Amino acid sequence: MNSQTSSLQNSPSPSALAGLKVLELGQLIAGPFAAKTLADFGADVIKIEPPVSGDPLRKWRMLKDDTSVWWQVQSRNKRSLALDLRTSEGQALVRQLAQEADVLIENFRPGAMEGWGLSPDELVERNPRLIVLRISGYGQTGPYRNRPGFGVIGEAMGGLRHLTAEPGRVPVRVGVSIGDTLAALHGVIGILLALQHRHATGQGQVIDVALYEAVFNCMESLLPEYSAFGAVRGPAGSALPGIAPTNAYLCKDGAYALIAGNGDSIFKRLMALIGRPDLANAPSLADNAGRVARVQELDEAIGAWTAQHSVQAVLDALEQAAVPAGKIYTVADIATDPHYASRGMLQEVQLADGSALTVPGIVPKLSRTPGSQRCKAPDLGQDTHRILSEMGLSAAQIEDLRARGIVGGKA
């Protein structure tokens, strides 16, 4: 094992969500990411997948031994129950599981659950303590509710895509499914809020998270600026409009340094470092408003300095001057970075063929009840027999369901 990488192991500390029973009915990204976050902190997550194909994420992007390596991140600490939700028997089993569950997570298009006879409102009526998280593109209500919506659509409607571009060029997408992830994290927040309410009242509830709303919730001053001034913020490349100086500056070796000199005292230290005391002591640049008015001049001055030095020399000098700065990391930088390693953000799992796979560690860090990787992502239907046995089904009943294709997995 790499000395900078910690391996998967059981945590000796208690888990924050130990004893919490979660049903995951979603697939791909948003719902499963929310469930993964709960599982990382001790929840018993039963992931329900189609018996033959499983979650499509199993085949997304780069595969090793015919399974996506992404799967080892998204489905760690979960149990897999291969079950056909389109059958009446499968639906009955879900209703039985929901009767004993604390949380149910789904991210199908609105109406799908109701079409399967699994209306969340009815599930909560049967189990008043049940908390149901519903994640969809546009939410469960409103004129757009029935439209299909993936994360990229939510990013666009939420206002993010318009801002991610160089001025005058086509807006680009963030290189990961950030809309899905933001929705998942809002869903986790909703679950924790609902658990607190349940602790006080004994009542469960339904949580409605829309992808576009999760993105929109992160758009800072976008709407009030439009409301107050009619201002439509546009793309600004690597800069942050209205805050100066903060940008990406080209260095002598062709790499970029990200420099945030937008605090009043930080700005003075930065200008002193680059040999511009005239700018450091200019009364008109003493606050952010004055610096924004002269942002082009400031960017040119900083860029002229960085162009004379390598990115590492720039970063070393800025660290000494206590000016926030950093380089643009590739995944190769991440995988070899000592700070990532020291905080347990590079962990290893062992695959079926015996090879090691490095995966991200767990966030956030809790002092008393930290999260942990207790088991690697399951094979399709790996836990079907055990879960159904726990529900009281006999081996003969399970085999009958398997023979008729209602459940999957090994006997």
mmCIF file of all heavy atoms in Angstrom, residues 203-255:
data_model
loop_
_atom_site.group_PDB
_atom_site.id
_atom_site.type_symbol
_atom_site.label_atom_id
_atom_site.label_comp_id
_atom_site.label_asym_id
_atom_site.label_seq_id
_atom_site.Cartn_x
_atom_site.Cartn_y
_atom_site.Cartn_z
ATOM 1 N N GLN A 203 -42.936 12.268 14.090
ATOM 2 C CA GLN A 203 -43.547 12.310 12.762
ATOM 3 C C GLN A 203 -42.508 12.349 11.653
ATOM 4 O O GLN A 203 -41.543 13.115 11.708
ATOM 5 C CB GLN A 203 -44.442 13.547 12.636
ATOM 6 C CG GLN A 203 -45.606 13.575 13.602
ATOM 7 C CD GLN A 203 -46.372 14.881 13.522
ATOM 8 O OE1 GLN A 203 -45.835 15.918 13.161
ATOM 9 N NE2 GLN A 203 -47.658 14.827 13.850
ATOM 10 N N GLY A 204 -42.712 11.526 10.618
ATOM 11 C CA GLY A 204 -41.920 11.600 9.408
ATOM 12 C C GLY A 204 -42.503 12.630 8.458
ATOM 13 O O GLY A 204 -43.508 13.285 8.759
ATOM 14 N N GLN A 205 -41.909 12.757 7.285
ATOM 15 C CA GLN A 205 -42.409 13.703 6.285
ATOM 16 C C GLN A 205 -41.740 13.435 4.944
ATOM 17 O O GLN A 205 -40.817 12.624 4.833
ATOM 18 C CB GLN A 205 -42.169 15.144 6.715
ATOM 19 C CG GLN A 205 -40.707 15.506 6.964
ATOM 20 C CD GLN A 205 -40.558 16.920 7.476
ATOM 21 O OE1 GLN A 205 -40.922 17.876 6.793
ATOM 22 N NE2 GLN A 205 -40.032 17.068 8.711
ATOM 23 N N VAL A 206 -42.224 14.135 3.909
ATOM 24 C CA VAL A 206 -41.684 14.014 2.557
ATOM 25 C C VAL A 206 -40.858 15.257 2.242
ATOM 26 O O VAL A 206 -41.292 16.385 2.470
ATOM 27 C CB VAL A 206 -42.813 13.839 1.520
ATOM 28 C CG1 VAL A 206 -42.233 13.762 0.111
ATOM 29 C CG2 VAL A 206 -43.628 12.585 1.830
ATOM 30 N N ILE A 207 -39.663 15.042 1.705
ATOM 31 C CA ILE A 207 -38.744 16.127 1.348
ATOM 32 C C ILE A 207 -38.679 16.213 -0.176
ATOM 33 O O ILE A 207 -38.410 15.215 -0.851
ATOM 34 C CB ILE A 207 -37.331 15.860 1.907
ATOM 35 C CG1 ILE A 207 -37.391 15.678 3.426
ATOM 36 C CG2 ILE A 207 -36.373 16.975 1.520
ATOM 37 C CD1 ILE A 207 -36.169 14.983 3.991
ATOM 38 N N ASP A 208 -38.925 17.383 -0.718
ATOM 39 C CA ASP A 208 -38.965 17.614 -2.163
ATOM 40 C C ASP A 208 -37.766 18.467 -2.558
ATOM 41 O O ASP A 208 -37.704 19.651 -2.237
ATOM 42 C CB ASP A 208 -40.283 18.320 -2.506
ATOM 43 C CG ASP A 208 -40.447 18.623 -3.998
ATOM 44 O OD1 ASP A 208 -39.544 18.275 -4.786
ATOM 45 O OD2 ASP A 208 -41.481 19.216 -4.360
ATOM 46 N N VAL A 209 -36.788 17.871 -3.239
ATOM 47 C CA VAL A 209 -35.600 18.593 -3.701
ATOM 48 C C VAL A 209 -35.586 18.611 -5.226
ATOM 49 O O VAL A 209 -35.667 17.562 -5.869
ATOM 50 C CB VAL A 209 -34.302 17.934 -3.182
ATOM 51 C CG1 VAL A 209 -33.080 18.595 -3.813
ATOM 52 C CG2 VAL A 209 -34.222 18.029 -1.664
ATOM 53 N N ALA A 210 -35.490 19.803 -5.800
ATOM 54 C CA ALA A 210 -35.376 19.966 -7.253
ATOM 55 C C ALA A 210 -33.926 20.291 -7.600
ATOM 56 O O ALA A 210 -33.284 21.101 -6.925
ATOM 57 C CB ALA A 210 -36.301 21.082 -7.734
ATOM 58 N N LEU A 211 -33.417 19.679 -8.658
ATOM 59 C CA LEU A 211 -32.039 19.919 -9.063
ATOM 60 C C LEU A 211 -31.777 21.402 -9.299
ATOM 61 O O LEU A 211 -30.787 21.955 -8.823
ATOM 62 C CB LEU A 211 -31.723 19.134 -10.341
ATOM 63 C CG LEU A 211 -31.598 17.619 -10.210
ATOM 64 C CD1 LEU A 211 -31.542 16.975 -11.583
ATOM 65 C CD2 LEU A 211 -30.361 17.249 -9.425
ATOM 66 N N TYR A 212 -32.669 22.060 -10.047
ATOM 67 C CA TYR A 212 -32.426 23.463 -10.389
ATOM 68 C C TYR A 212 -32.444 24.349 -9.143
ATOM 69 O O TYR A 212 -31.698 25.335 -9.059
ATOM 70 C CB TYR A 212 -33.432 23.951 -11.435
ATOM 71 C CG TYR A 212 -34.750 24.418 -10.875
ATOM 72 C CD1 TYR A 212 -34.966 25.772 -10.597
ATOM 73 C CD2 TYR A 212 -35.777 23.523 -10.598
ATOM 74 C CE1 TYR A 212 -36.168 26.209 -10.069
ATOM 75 C CE2 TYR A 212 -36.973 23.950 -10.063
ATOM 76 C CZ TYR A 212 -37.173 25.299 -9.804
ATOM 77 O OH TYR A 212 -38.351 25.726 -9.267
ATOM 78 N N GLU A 213 -33.286 23.998 -8.155
ATOM 79 C CA GLU A 213 -33.354 24.801 -6.937
ATOM 80 C C GLU A 213 -32.104 24.638 -6.085
ATOM 81 O O GLU A 213 -31.654 25.596 -5.433
ATOM 82 C CB GLU A 213 -34.599 24.432 -6.133
ATOM 83 C CG GLU A 213 -35.885 24.891 -6.793
ATOM 84 C CD GLU A 213 -37.134 24.376 -6.117
ATOM 85 O OE1 GLU A 213 -37.034 23.527 -5.206
ATOM 86 O OE2 GLU A 213 -38.227 24.818 -6.516
ATOM 87 N N ALA A 214 -31.534 23.445 -6.069
ATOM 88 C CA ALA A 214 -30.299 23.229 -5.320
ATOM 89 C C ALA A 214 -29.167 24.074 -5.902
ATOM 90 O O ALA A 214 -28.360 24.655 -5.169
ATOM 91 C CB ALA A 214 -29.927 21.747 -5.347
ATOM 92 N N VAL A 215 -29.104 24.151 -7.235
ATOM 93 C CA VAL A 215 -28.103 24.997 -7.884
ATOM 94 C C VAL A 215 -28.396 26.467 -7.608
ATOM 95 O O VAL A 215 -27.513 27.248 -7.231
ATOM 96 C CB VAL A 215 -28.078 24.726 -9.404
ATOM 97 C CG1 VAL A 215 -27.151 25.713 -10.107
ATOM 98 C CG2 VAL A 215 -27.642 23.288 -9.679
ATOM 99 N N PHE A 216 -29.657 26.851 -7.789
ATOM 100 C CA PHE A 216 -30.057 28.241 -7.591
ATOM 101 C C PHE A 216 -29.764 28.712 -6.165
ATOM 102 O O PHE A 216 -29.410 29.878 -5.949
ATOM 103 C CB PHE A 216 -31.550 28.373 -7.904
ATOM 104 C CG PHE A 216 -32.106 29.757 -7.723
ATOM 105 C CD1 PHE A 216 -31.601 30.832 -8.430
ATOM 106 C CD2 PHE A 216 -33.142 29.983 -6.829
ATOM 107 C CE1 PHE A 216 -32.114 32.107 -8.263
ATOM 108 C CE2 PHE A 216 -33.664 31.249 -6.652
ATOM 109 C CZ PHE A 216 -33.155 32.323 -7.366
ATOM 110 N N ASN A 217 -29.868 27.823 -5.207
ATOM 111 C CA ASN A 217 -29.607 28.172 -3.814
ATOM 112 C C ASN A 217 -28.156 28.573 -3.581
ATOM 113 O O ASN A 217 -27.836 29.193 -2.563
ATOM 114 C CB ASN A 217 -29.964 26.993 -2.897
ATOM 115 C CG ASN A 217 -30.056 27.388 -1.439
ATOM 116 O OD1 ASN A 217 -30.510 28.476 -1.110
ATOM 117 N ND2 ASN A 217 -29.624 26.502 -0.554
ATOM 118 N N CYS A 218 -27.276 28.234 -4.517
ATOM 119 C CA CYS A 218 -25.852 28.561 -4.395
ATOM 120 C C CYS A 218 -25.444 29.761 -5.243
ATOM 121 O O CYS A 218 -24.248 30.036 -5.403
ATOM 122 C CB CYS A 218 -25.015 27.347 -4.789
ATOM 123 S SG CYS A 218 -25.308 25.890 -3.773
ATOM 124 N N MET A 219 -26.425 30.477 -5.791
ATOM 125 C CA MET A 219 -26.124 31.562 -6.714
ATOM 126 C C MET A 219 -25.904 32.913 -6.040
ATOM 127 O O MET A 219 -25.937 33.961 -6.684
ATOM 128 C CB MET A 219 -27.237 31.674 -7.771
ATOM 129 C CG MET A 219 -27.228 30.540 -8.792
ATOM 130 S SD MET A 219 -25.711 30.479 -9.797
ATOM 131 C CE MET A 219 -24.806 29.195 -8.940
ATOM 132 N N GLU A 220 -25.724 32.898 -4.742
ATOM 133 C CA GLU A 220 -25.282 34.070 -3.996
ATOM 134 C C GLU A 220 -26.150 35.302 -4.281
ATOM 135 O O GLU A 220 -27.350 35.278 -4.053
ATOM 136 C CB GLU A 220 -23.795 34.326 -4.278
ATOM 137 C CG GLU A 220 -22.930 33.127 -3.873
ATOM 138 C CD GLU A 220 -21.466 33.273 -4.207
ATOM 139 O OE1 GLU A 220 -21.095 34.222 -4.940
ATOM 140 O OE2 GLU A 220 -20.678 32.420 -3.742
ATOM 141 N N SER A 221 -25.577 36.383 -4.797
ATOM 142 C CA SER A 221 -26.317 37.644 -4.946
ATOM 143 C C SER A 221 -26.950 37.817 -6.320
ATOM 144 O O SER A 221 -27.386 38.913 -6.674
ATOM 145 C CB SER A 221 -25.380 38.825 -4.669
ATOM 146 O OG SER A 221 -24.305 38.824 -5.596
ATOM 147 N N LEU A 222 -27.016 36.744 -7.101
ATOM 148 C CA LEU A 222 -27.477 36.853 -8.485
ATOM 149 C C LEU A 222 -28.862 37.503 -8.580
ATOM 150 O O LEU A 222 -29.052 38.476 -9.328
ATOM 151 C CB LEU A 222 -27.524 35.449 -9.096
ATOM 152 C CG LEU A 222 -27.436 35.327 -10.619
ATOM 153 C CD1 LEU A 222 -26.085 35.774 -11.113
ATOM 154 C CD2 LEU A 222 -27.713 33.891 -11.038
ATOM 155 N N LEU A 223 -29.832 36.989 -7.854
ATOM 156 C CA LEU A 223 -31.201 37.494 -7.962
ATOM 157 C C LEU A 223 -31.386 38.865 -7.321
ATOM 158 O O LEU A 223 -31.993 39.752 -7.940
ATOM 159 C CB LEU A 223 -32.180 36.483 -7.367
ATOM 160 C CG LEU A 223 -33.662 36.862 -7.450
ATOM 161 C CD1 LEU A 223 -34.093 37.063 -8.895
ATOM 162 C CD2 LEU A 223 -34.535 35.808 -6.777
ATOM 163 N N PRO A 224 -30.912 39.105 -6.087
ATOM 164 C CA PRO A 224 -31.110 40.444 -5.533
ATOM 165 C C PRO A 224 -30.444 41.549 -6.333
ATOM 166 O O PRO A 224 -30.948 42.671 -6.378
ATOM 167 C CB PRO A 224 -30.536 40.342 -4.108
ATOM 168 C CG PRO A 224 -29.771 39.077 -4.068
ATOM 169 C CD PRO A 224 -30.357 38.179 -5.101
ATOM 170 N N GLU A 225 -29.323 41.251 -6.989
ATOM 171 C CA GLU A 225 -28.693 42.263 -7.843
ATOM 172 C C GLU A 225 -29.580 42.592 -9.035
ATOM 173 O O GLU A 225 -29.684 43.752 -9.453
ATOM 174 C CB GLU A 225 -27.323 41.772 -8.308
ATOM 175 C CG GLU A 225 -26.273 41.791 -7.208
ATOM 176 C CD GLU A 225 -24.976 41.137 -7.617
ATOM 177 O OE1 GLU A 225 -24.892 40.622 -8.760
ATOM 178 O OE2 GLU A 225 -24.035 41.113 -6.795
ATOM 179 N N TYR A 226 -30.229 41.574 -9.572
ATOM 180 C CA TYR A 226 -31.155 41.822 -10.676
ATOM 181 C C TYR A 226 -32.385 42.593 -10.191
ATOM 182 O O TYR A 226 -32.863 43.525 -10.840
ATOM 183 C CB TYR A 226 -31.589 40.503 -11.313
ATOM 184 C CG TYR A 226 -32.617 40.673 -12.405
ATOM 185 C CD1 TYR A 226 -32.243 41.183 -13.647
ATOM 186 C CD2 TYR A 226 -33.948 40.358 -12.183
ATOM 187 C CE1 TYR A 226 -33.197 41.361 -14.656
ATOM 188 C CE2 TYR A 226 -34.897 40.524 -13.163
ATOM 189 C CZ TYR A 226 -34.515 41.026 -14.403
ATOM 190 O OH TYR A 226 -35.452 41.217 -15.392
ATOM 191 N N SER A 227 -32.873 42.209 -9.011
ATOM 192 C CA SER A 227 -34.061 42.865 -8.464
ATOM 193 C C SER A 227 -33.807 44.330 -8.155
ATOM 194 O O SER A 227 -34.635 45.199 -8.461
ATOM 195 C CB SER A 227 -34.507 42.140 -7.188
ATOM 196 O OG SER A 227 -35.607 42.787 -6.599
ATOM 197 N N ALA A 228 -32.670 44.627 -7.556
ATOM 198 C CA ALA A 228 -32.378 45.999 -7.128
ATOM 199 C C ALA A 228 -31.881 46.889 -8.260
ATOM 200 O O ALA A 228 -32.210 48.072 -8.322
ATOM 201 C CB ALA A 228 -31.361 45.980 -5.992
ATOM 202 N N PHE A 229 -31.093 46.301 -9.174
ATOM 203 C CA PHE A 229 -30.416 47.125 -10.175
ATOM 204 C C PHE A 229 -30.692 46.722 -11.621
ATOM 205 O O PHE A 229 -30.204 47.370 -12.553
ATOM 206 C CB PHE A 229 -28.897 47.092 -9.938
ATOM 207 C CG PHE A 229 -28.504 47.378 -8.520
ATOM 208 C CD1 PHE A 229 -28.010 46.372 -7.705
ATOM 209 C CD2 PHE A 229 -28.634 48.653 -7.984
ATOM 210 C CE1 PHE A 229 -27.641 46.624 -6.395
ATOM 211 C CE2 PHE A 229 -28.274 48.917 -6.672
ATOM 212 C CZ PHE A 229 -27.778 47.908 -5.875
ATOM 213 N N GLY A 230 -31.432 45.652 -11.821
ATOM 214 C CA GLY A 230 -31.639 45.166 -13.180
ATOM 215 C C GLY A 230 -30.378 44.588 -13.782
ATOM 216 O O GLY A 230 -30.265 44.434 -15.001
ATOM 217 N N ALA A 231 -29.421 44.236 -12.925
ATOM 218 C CA ALA A 231 -28.131 43.741 -13.406
ATOM 219 C C ALA A 231 -28.216 42.246 -13.697
ATOM 220 O O ALA A 231 -28.652 41.468 -12.847
ATOM 221 C CB ALA A 231 -27.053 44.004 -12.363
ATOM 222 N N VAL A 232 -27.786 41.855 -14.878
ATOM 223 C CA VAL A 232 -27.708 40.442 -15.250
ATOM 224 C C VAL A 232 -26.229 40.064 -15.258
ATOM 225 O O VAL A 232 -25.487 40.450 -16.160
ATOM 226 C CB VAL A 232 -28.335 40.171 -16.623
ATOM 227 C CG1 VAL A 232 -28.181 38.701 -17.003
ATOM 228 C CG2 VAL A 232 -29.807 40.571 -16.618
ATOM 229 N N ARG A 233 -25.806 39.344 -14.225
ATOM 230 C CA ARG A 233 -24.395 38.977 -14.162
ATOM 231 C C ARG A 233 -24.045 38.068 -15.325
ATOM 232 O O ARG A 233 -24.773 37.118 -15.627
ATOM 233 C CB ARG A 233 -24.077 38.280 -12.847
ATOM 234 C CG ARG A 233 -22.574 38.018 -12.669
ATOM 235 C CD ARG A 233 -22.263 37.161 -11.468
ATOM 236 N NE ARG A 233 -22.686 37.759 -10.220
ATOM 237 C CZ ARG A 233 -22.409 37.219 -9.015
ATOM 238 N NH1 ARG A 233 -21.729 36.089 -8.942
ATOM 239 N NH2 ARG A 233 -22.839 37.807 -7.921
ATOM 240 N N GLY A 234 -22.934 38.342 -15.953
ATOM 241 C CA GLY A 234 -22.494 37.545 -17.085
ATOM 242 C C GLY A 234 -21.245 36.755 -16.765
ATOM 243 O O GLY A 234 -20.678 36.881 -15.673
ATOM 244 N N PRO A 235 -20.809 35.939 -17.705
ATOM 245 C CA PRO A 235 -19.589 35.150 -17.483
ATOM 246 C C PRO A 235 -18.368 36.044 -17.375
ATOM 247 O O PRO A 235 -18.281 37.085 -18.031
ATOM 248 C CB PRO A 235 -19.530 34.250 -18.720
ATOM 249 C CG PRO A 235 -20.326 34.979 -19.755
ATOM 250 C CD PRO A 235 -21.405 35.691 -19.023
ATOM 251 N N ALA A 236 -17.422 35.639 -16.531
ATOM 252 C CA ALA A 236 -16.235 36.456 -16.313
ATOM 253 C C ALA A 236 -14.956 35.630 -16.324
ATOM 254 O O ALA A 236 -13.937 36.057 -15.801
ATOM 255 C CB ALA A 236 -16.356 37.201 -14.986
ATOM 256 N N GLY A 237 -15.029 34.447 -16.929
ATOM 257 C CA GLY A 237 -13.830 33.624 -17.010
ATOM 258 C C GLY A 237 -13.328 33.220 -15.650
ATOM 259 O O GLY A 237 -14.081 32.720 -14.819
ATOM 260 N N SER A 238 -12.061 33.474 -15.381
ATOM 261 C CA SER A 238 -11.459 33.042 -14.114
ATOM 262 C C SER A 238 -11.575 34.087 -13.014
ATOM 263 O O SER A 238 -11.145 33.854 -11.891
ATOM 264 C CB SER A 238 -9.983 32.703 -14.336
ATOM 265 O OG SER A 238 -9.278 33.842 -14.804
ATOM 266 N N ALA A 239 -12.141 35.253 -13.327
ATOM 267 C CA ALA A 239 -12.310 36.293 -12.321
ATOM 268 C C ALA A 239 -13.647 36.116 -11.610
ATOM 269 O O ALA A 239 -14.491 35.314 -12.019
ATOM 270 C CB ALA A 239 -12.241 37.668 -12.973
ATOM 271 N N LEU A 240 -13.825 36.873 -10.518
ATOM 272 C CA LEU A 240 -15.087 36.883 -9.797
ATOM 273 C C LEU A 240 -15.593 38.317 -9.806
ATOM 274 O O LEU A 240 -15.037 39.176 -9.119
ATOM 275 C CB LEU A 240 -14.893 36.386 -8.364
ATOM 276 C CG LEU A 240 -16.164 36.209 -7.530
ATOM 277 C CD1 LEU A 240 -17.098 35.193 -8.190
ATOM 278 C CD2 LEU A 240 -15.810 35.748 -6.120
ATOM 279 N N PRO A 241 -16.629 38.610 -10.599
ATOM 280 C CA PRO A 241 -17.080 39.998 -10.763
ATOM 281 C C PRO A 241 -17.439 40.653 -9.430
ATOM 282 O O PRO A 241 -18.043 40.036 -8.555
ATOM 283 C CB PRO A 241 -18.330 39.850 -11.639
ATOM 284 C CG PRO A 241 -18.145 38.555 -12.354
ATOM 285 C CD PRO A 241 -17.423 37.674 -11.398
ATOM 286 N N GLY A 242 -17.005 41.902 -9.285
ATOM 287 C CA GLY A 242 -17.352 42.667 -8.097
ATOM 288 C C GLY A 242 -16.433 42.440 -6.918
ATOM 289 O O GLY A 242 -16.644 43.025 -5.854
ATOM 290 N N ILE A 243 -15.430 41.590 -7.071
ATOM 291 C CA ILE A 243 -14.469 41.316 -6.003
ATOM 292 C C ILE A 243 -13.077 41.355 -6.622
ATOM 293 O O ILE A 243 -12.798 40.641 -7.590
ATOM 294 C CB ILE A 243 -14.730 39.945 -5.352
ATOM 295 C CG1 ILE A 243 -16.151 39.901 -4.786
ATOM 296 C CG2 ILE A 243 -13.720 39.672 -4.258
ATOM 297 C CD1 ILE A 243 -16.553 38.554 -4.240
ATOM 298 N N ALA A 244 -12.172 42.181 -6.079
ATOM 299 C CA ALA A 244 -10.874 42.358 -6.721
ATOM 300 C C ALA A 244 -9.781 42.634 -5.678
ATOM 301 O O ALA A 244 -10.039 43.227 -4.632
ATOM 302 C CB ALA A 244 -10.953 43.523 -7.711
ATOM 303 N N PRO A 245 -8.552 42.163 -6.055
ATOM 304 C CA PRO A 245 -8.221 41.319 -7.200
ATOM 305 C C PRO A 245 -8.302 39.840 -6.840
ATOM 306 O O PRO A 245 -7.826 39.429 -5.787
ATOM 307 C CB PRO A 245 -6.780 41.717 -7.517
ATOM 308 C CG PRO A 245 -6.197 42.076 -6.170
ATOM 309 C CD PRO A 245 -7.332 42.656 -5.360
ATOM 310 N N THR A 246 -8.885 39.057 -7.705
ATOM 311 C CA THR A 246 -8.888 37.598 -7.572
ATOM 312 C C THR A 246 -9.007 37.013 -8.962
ATOM 313 O O THR A 246 -9.965 37.290 -9.680
ATOM 314 C CB THR A 246 -10.019 37.125 -6.641
ATOM 315 O OG1 THR A 246 -10.024 35.691 -6.613
ATOM 316 C CG2 THR A 246 -11.383 37.606 -7.085
ATOM 317 N N ASN A 247 -8.021 36.217 -9.351
ATOM 318 C CA ASN A 247 -8.000 35.728 -10.728
ATOM 319 C C ASN A 247 -6.958 34.617 -10.850
ATOM 320 O O ASN A 247 -6.293 34.251 -9.887
ATOM 321 C CB ASN A 247 -7.666 36.877 -11.693
ATOM 322 C CG ASN A 247 -8.375 36.744 -13.031
ATOM 323 O OD1 ASN A 247 -8.576 35.643 -13.518
ATOM 324 N ND2 ASN A 247 -8.749 37.879 -13.617
ATOM 325 N N ALA A 248 -6.840 34.097 -12.069
ATOM 326 C CA ALA A 248 -5.793 33.132 -12.406
ATOM 327 C C ALA A 248 -4.732 33.872 -13.217
ATOM 328 O O ALA A 248 -5.064 34.532 -14.210
ATOM 329 C CB ALA A 248 -6.358 31.975 -13.211
ATOM 330 N N TYR A 249 -3.494 33.767 -12.788
ATOM 331 C CA TYR A 249 -2.420 34.544 -13.402
ATOM 332 C C TYR A 249 -1.361 33.606 -13.982
ATOM 333 O O TYR A 249 -0.887 32.686 -13.307
ATOM 334 C CB TYR A 249 -1.797 35.482 -12.370
ATOM 335 C CG TYR A 249 -2.816 36.438 -11.760
ATOM 336 C CD1 TYR A 249 -3.495 36.096 -10.581
ATOM 337 C CD2 TYR A 249 -3.110 37.653 -12.363
ATOM 338 C CE1 TYR A 249 -4.424 36.961 -10.028
ATOM 339 C CE2 TYR A 249 -4.044 38.525 -11.813
ATOM 340 C CZ TYR A 249 -4.706 38.173 -10.648
ATOM 341 O OH TYR A 249 -5.641 39.026 -10.100
ATOM 342 N N LEU A 250 -0.991 33.868 -15.229
ATOM 343 C CA LEU A 250 -0.039 33.022 -15.941
ATOM 344 C C LEU A 250 1.374 33.232 -15.406
ATOM 345 O O LEU A 250 1.826 34.369 -15.248
ATOM 346 C CB LEU A 250 -0.073 33.338 -17.437
ATOM 347 C CG LEU A 250 0.782 32.447 -18.347
ATOM 348 C CD1 LEU A 250 0.287 31.006 -18.305
ATOM 349 C CD2 LEU A 250 0.756 32.985 -19.777
ATOM 350 N N CYS A 251 2.057 32.113 -15.145
ATOM 351 C CA CYS A 251 3.421 32.173 -14.626
ATOM 352 C C CYS A 251 4.435 31.867 -15.726
ATOM 353 O O CYS A 251 4.076 31.472 -16.846
ATOM 354 C CB CYS A 251 3.583 31.201 -13.466
ATOM 355 S SG CYS A 251 2.487 31.566 -12.083
ATOM 356 N N LYS A 252 5.702 31.995 -15.410
ATOM 357 C CA LYS A 252 6.787 31.863 -16.386
ATOM 358 C C LYS A 252 6.828 30.490 -17.025
ATOM 359 O O LYS A 252 7.181 30.344 -18.201
ATOM 360 C CB LYS A 252 8.119 32.172 -15.694
ATOM 361 C CG LYS A 252 9.326 32.164 -16.612
ATOM 362 C CD LYS A 252 10.582 32.541 -15.829
ATOM 363 C CE LYS A 252 11.815 32.569 -16.727
ATOM 364 N NZ LYS A 252 13.044 32.955 -15.951
ATOM 365 N N ASP A 253 6.454 29.454 -16.260
ATOM 366 C CA ASP A 253 6.522 28.087 -16.765
ATOM 367 C C ASP A 253 5.229 27.630 -17.444
ATOM 368 O O ASP A 253 5.060 26.447 -17.729
ATOM 369 C CB ASP A 253 6.887 27.124 -15.643
ATOM 370 C CG ASP A 253 5.985 27.268 -14.422
ATOM 371 O OD1 ASP A 253 5.035 28.078 -14.474
ATOM 372 O OD2 ASP A 253 6.236 26.587 -13.416
ATOM 373 N N GLY A 254 4.324 28.550 -17.694
ATOM 374 C CA GLY A 254 3.094 28.214 -18.408
ATOM 375 C C GLY A 254 1.957 27.747 -17.534
ATOM 376 O O GLY A 254 0.852 27.507 -18.028
ATOM 377 N N ALA A 255 2.202 27.614 -16.232
ATOM 378 C CA ALA A 255 1.140 27.227 -15.297
ATOM 379 C C ALA A 255 0.469 28.480 -14.744
ATOM 380 O O ALA A 255 1.002 29.591 -14.844
ATOM 381 C CB ALA A 255 1.724 26.397 -14.163
#
